Amino acid sequence: MKLASLKHGRDGRLVVVSRDLTRATDAFIVVATLQQALDDWERFAPALAALAEQLEHGSVPSFRFHEHDCAAPLPRAYARRHAAAWPGYPALLRQAAGAEAPAGEAGALRHAASDGFLGPRDPLTPDDPAASLDLSAGLAVITGDLARGADAAAAGDAVRLVTLVAEVIRHDRLRPDGLDLDGAEAPALAASLAPVVATPDELGQAWRDGSLHRPLLVSRNGKALGCPDAGTDLGSSLVALVAEAARHRPLGAGTLVSAGPVSNRGIDGGPGRPTAEGGAGYACLAEARAAEALTGGWVRTPYLAAGDRLRVEMKDVGGHSIFGAIEHDVV
Amino acid sequence: MKLASLKHGRDGRLVVVSRDLTRATDAFIVVATLQQALDDWERFAPALAALAEQLEHGSVPSFRFHEHDCAAPLPRAYARRHAAAWPGYPALLRQAAGAEAPAGEAGALRHAASDGFLGPRDPLTPDDPAASLDLSAGLAVITGDLARGADAAAAGDAVRLVTLVAEVIRHDRLRPDGLDLDGAEAPALAASLAPVVATPDELGQAWRDGSLHRPLLVSRNGKALGCPDAGTDLGSSLVALVAEAARHRPLGAGTLVSAGPVSNRGIDGGPGRPTAEGGAGYACLAEARAAEALTGGWVRTPYLAAGDRLRVEMKDVGGHSIFGAIEHDVV
């Protein structure tokens, strides 16, 4: 099933969304918010799935689903752990910076802000126009409860929902490992989730080996920045990250484990090529810039500026949007 | 007023606690959980304060308050930012490790786990008996909503509640700045809050200049480890940390901003002295060990082991416990 939260108060109003994202039906007869559903998933999920089935058959009252009415599916979460799970990204940034990548650092999980995800169509309002703002697009899973030290099988079973994530970060102060230059957290100005979350069973064959195997479509002002495949060149599967997150402490229902940016290497094993040169492109501006610096010496891709429109989406094999689109205007 | 959450479900059952911590009354006639109270503080706080007043006068039904019945006051929070706000601690650890402290690193805020605070009397169950476990005791404030870029005055107004925090961390892998040796978050095995949270007005003259000016009493197996004054040798006030946390992104109601370990320098400006030598002692084991290594060369203070009992408390000028005690047995 697919779920979304319409803008309403701090936690949104939960709706069940049709597979093709055209129609929705209120979930409040079952449960009011996504966090409440996750807190007691065994009780609520079957009723929500039944509602989804009725929605597909047209046997329940429904309304047109508009992505721009959405808050983030989970507008605030109690926990988020984030990793640069595609090692091509930190390796390339480090290479461009002239430093050697310390072994084992890519893929390390860090705590990340989870208390105020932007809605998928909310505008971005940077606080410092002079900062080098970047977009980093990736994937997120939302888990149920998971015991400390759980194995990969239990971690896989704990994945309740899958969606897309986009982070707006200040890249001028960011180290390749995602930390600020002085060792503190990088100031993530904002993060957003796709309009819709989907249960793994909804993803069919694209969800396998603990990860989602589809290209992530990232564009800027209608022009493709990249379409790297999320199932390729992945250092740690999403499920492996969930298990890693639970290594030292249990995870609570509604924990987000996110990974990004998606990054594919070139066919020669080197930096990924721009889409204009037949490559998979990039899911963040910093990687595009680093690749330009390494291959051509001339950095053509600017950081974000007012007036830019960013779009992040993932489509199924039939070309239909799976989670809806994250689309932000920079104002 | 003083509030606590009795163990009940994921979010506890909110109670109003008497000033002397002996009696409590249910808050559910006003609001069910502390997060709900924080979400709509202007609406609920006056009614909770009225209940607190009635409790003091004995004009409302009440029951004996037992600290061991408590969950953390906010068992799960949507956000926590943590800093080593007493610079003596990272400086001393770095000195003991033979490295020079990079400028400006102490006091940097990082995202920290907020999704599963232990109750104040819950046992500690380390996952690896061979790890070097440490306790770090400090302070935490819980904020209301605060706009991005808010000034210190607005940050001060946003402080809703004050309490104590204790973190159990693996020190064998920890850098002095609180990060893991490989640059990722240190694995904080657990964190707990004191049984009771208090509004700033409840703290009287001890709450001034944006911080709490009372000694933090830390003991192990009944023997004092330290009583460093939380208002002394503080690099950043708690309110300044709240403002810093809101510099790049707004804070949501129920955000914890925590700081620790409390650390006082010696009267000569050097490392703090043990309580046995008339000093203020320490609020974490690593600092005690670093001071021993620097002054005597012989490290006598062991890391945590099974059978240890840790206690963290703060008393008012009359000698009465303000927030109740955090007391954990290591099993």
Side-chain angles (χ1 to χ4, degrees):
Chain A
M1 64 182 155
K2 296 185 176 185
L3 302 169
S5 295
L6 301 185
K7 281 178 183 285
H8 176 79
R10 294 181 186 267
D11 297 296
R13 184 162 65 91
L14 188 64
V15 297
V16 177
V17 183
S18 65
R19 198 158 287 144
D20 63 3
L21 309 183
T22 61
R23 303 203 64 81
T25 186
D26 270 310
F28 73 81
I29 57 164
V30 176
V31 62
T33 70
L34 184 54
Q35 182 63 52
Q36 286 171 19
L38 290 159
D39 280 348
D40 206 350
W41 190 252
E42 281 66 29
R43 177 176 159 209
F44 293 124
L48 292 171
L51 212 48
E53 199 62 26
Q54 291 171 301
L55 180 64
E56 294 298 332
H57 296 141
S59 58
V60 72
S62 66
F63 50 88
R64 273 196 76 82
F65 176 67
H66 296 293
E67 297 180 14
H68 56 73
D69 293 338
C70 289
L74 195 59
R76 50 180 183 172
Y78 292 106
R80 178 160 68 112
R81 307 292 295 278
H82 184 87
W86 288 264
Y89 162 75
L92 189 60
L93 258 68
R94 215 168 255 118
Q95 199 182 337
E100 205 167 305
E105 206 167 308
L109 283 163
R110 57 190 173 84
H111 293 276
S114 59
D115 58 333
F117 290 108
L118 296 179
R121 302 297 160 94
D122 289 353
L124 300 182
T125 55
D127 57 352
D128 178 2
S132 300
L133 296 182
D134 192 8
L135 172 86
S136 165
L139 298 179
V141 297
I142 299 175
T143 78
D145 293 310
L146 186 61
R148 181 176 72 178
D151 62 14
D157 290 343
V159 172
R160 298 274 176 268
L161 300 160
V162 183
T163 193
L164 311 180
V165 66
E167 284 197 297
V168 179
I169 43 185
R170 288 183 62 153
H171 240 296
D172 45 339
R173 296 196 48 78
L174 201 65
R175 302 190 322 205
D177 57 4
L179 294 168
D180 201 356
L181 287 179
D182 63 6
E185 285 290 326
L189 302 182
S192 58
L193 302 176
V196 167
V197 287
T199 48
D201 65 286
E202 199 70 42
L203 304 168
Q205 277 304 303
W207 178 257
R208 61 180 191 272
D209 306 329
S211 290
L212 186 52
H213 296 251
R214 291 295 305 159
L216 186 67
L217 314 175
V218 183
S219 68
R220 176 188 194 159
N221 304 325
K223 211 178 132 209
L225 179 69
C227 53
D229 187 89
T232 303
D233 298 328
L234 181 59
S236 271
S237 76
L238 294 170
V239 166
L241 290 176
V242 170
E244 173 63 21
R247 189 147 66 102
H248 292 296
R249 47 185 299 146
L251 304 187
T255 295
L256 263 97
V257 176
S258 59
V262 177
S263 172
N264 288 172
R265 294 179 185 277
I267 46 168
D268 57 353
R273 292 303 175 88
T275 51
E277 297 173 18
Y282 314 100
C284 73
L285 300 174
E287 187 170 356
R289 292 168 59 90
E292 287 165 359
L294 283 170
T295 54
W298 178 38
V299 176
R300 298 172 301 274
T301 301
Y303 279 118
L304 291 181
D308 274 347
R309 171 172 288 188
L310 306 161
R311 190 178 167 94
V312 180
E313 196 170 15
M314 184 174 270
K315 295 184 175 176
D316 64 20
V317 286
H320 304 292
S321 186
I322 304 175
F323 307 105
I326 296 172
E327 193 173 272
H328 297 301
D329 288 322
V330 183
V331 297
Chain B
M1 65 182 154
K2 296 185 175 184
L3 302 169
S5 295
L6 301 185
K7 283 179 182 283
H8 177 79
R10 294 181 186 268
D11 296 297
R13 182 162 65 90
L14 187 64
V15 297
V16 178
V17 182
S18 65
R19 199 158 285 145
D20 64 2
L21 310 183
T22 60
R23 304 204 61 82
T25 187
D26 270 309
F28 73 82
I29 57 163
V30 177
V31 61
T33 71
L34 184 55
Q35 182 63 52
Q36 286 170 21
L38 290 158
D39 281 348
D40 207 350
W41 190 251
E42 282 67 30
R43 177 176 160 209
F44 293 124
L48 292 171
L51 213 48
E53 200 62 25
Q54 292 171 299
L55 180 63
E56 294 299 331
H57 296 141
S59 59
V60 71
S62 67
F63 50 87
R64 273 196 76 82
F65 177 67
H66 294 294
E67 297 180 14
H68 56 72
D69 293 338
C70 288
L74 196 59
R76 50 180 184 172
Y78 292 106
R80 178 159 69 111
R81 308 290 296 278
H82 184 86
W86 288 266
Y89 163 76
L92 189 60
L93 257 68
R94 216 170 255 116
Q95 200 182 336
E100 206 169 306
E105 205 165 310
L109 284 162
R110 56 190 174 84
H111 293 275
S114 60
D115 58 332
F117 289 108
L118 295 179
R121 303 296 161 96
D122 288 353
L124 300 182
T125 56
D127 57 350
D128 178 3
S132 300
L133 296 183
D134 193 9
L135 172 86
S136 166
L139 298 178
V141 296
I142 300 175
T143 78
D145 293 309
L146 186 62
R148 181 176 71 178
D151 61 15
D157 290 343
V159 172
R160 298 275 175 269
L161 299 160
V162 183
T163 194
L164 310 180
V165 66
E167 283 197 296
V168 179
I169 43 185
R170 287 184 62 155
H171 241 296
D172 45 339
R173 296 195 48 77
L174 200 64
R175 303 190 321 205
D177 57 5
L179 294 169
D180 201 357
L181 287 180
D182 62 6
E185 284 291 325
L189 302 181
S192 59
L193 303 176
V196 167
V197 287
T199 48
D201 65 285
E202 199 69 44
L203 304 169
Q205 276 305 304
W207 178 257
R208 61 180 192 272
D209 305 329
S211 289
L212 186 51
H213 295 251
R214 291 297 303 159
L216 187 67
L217 313 175
V218 183
S219 68
R220 175 189 195 160
N221 305 325
K223 210 178 132 208
L225 179 69
C227 52
D229 187 90
T232 303
D233 298 329
L234 182 59
S236 271
S237 77
L238 294 170
V239 166
L241 290 176
V242 170
E244 173 63 21
R247 189 148 66 101
H248 292 296
R249 46 185 300 146
L251 304 186
T255 294
L256 264 96
V257 176
S258 58
V262 177
S263 172
N264 288 171
R265 294 178 186 276
I267 46 169
D268 57 352
R273 292 303 175 90
T275 51
E277 297 174 18
Y282 313 99
C284 73
L285 300 174
E287 188 170 356
R289 292 168 58 90
E292 288 165 358
L294 283 171
T295 54
W298 179 37
V299 177
R300 296 172 301 275
T301 302
Y303 279 117
L304 290 180
D308 275 346
R309 170 172 290 187
L310 306 161
R311 188 178 169 96
V312 180
E313 197 170 14
M314 183 174 271
K315 295 182 175 176
D316 64 20
V317 286
H320 304 292
S321 186
I322 304 175
F323 308 105
I326 297 173
E327 192 173 272
H328 297 301
D329 288 322
V330 183
V331 298

